[in-house]
Amino acid sequence: NTVESNLRIRDSASEYGEIIGSIPKGSVVTLLGSESELTRIYNDQYGRWKKIRYKGMVGWVWGNYLTPF
């Protein structure tokens, strides 16, 4: 998957999860999993949190900002 916009990596699948890193736009990440339920975040977006690996970090990102390649 490719990152569409600069993206924060969080320690949990929540907009309130601690930010543990960031991923620049255009970076390639490895998808490890996905939440099964749709989630709504603060600005009324619906989507799923995705568990990813990037440069040795494992965490969660908002899946709407990833594109498959």
Side-chain angles (χ1 to χ4, degrees):
N1 290 290
T2 304
V3 176
E4 292 181 0
S5 176
N6 293 339
L7 196 55
R8 297 178 183 135
I9 305 172
R10 298 182 182 272
D11 68 349
S12 61
S14 165
E15 64 186 295
Y16 302 109
E18 182 179 342
I19 297 168
I20 58 173
S22 63
I23 307 170
K25 179 180 179 176
S27 298
V28 175
V29 300
T30 302
L31 183 63
L32 302 176
S34 177
E35 284 194 312
S36 58
E37 298 290 321
L38 281 176
T39 302
R40 183 180 68 84
I41 62 172
Y42 71 95
N43 58 359
D44 287 334
Q45 285 189 46
Y46 286 85
R48 289 182 174 84
W49 290 95
K50 306 287 185 172
K51 189 173 188 179
I52 57 96
R53 179 181 294 121
Y54 175 71
K55 291 192 174 181
M57 287 185 287
V58 174
W60 293 87
V61 298
W62 186 241
N64 291 10
Y65 295 108
L66 298 178
T67 44
F69 61 84

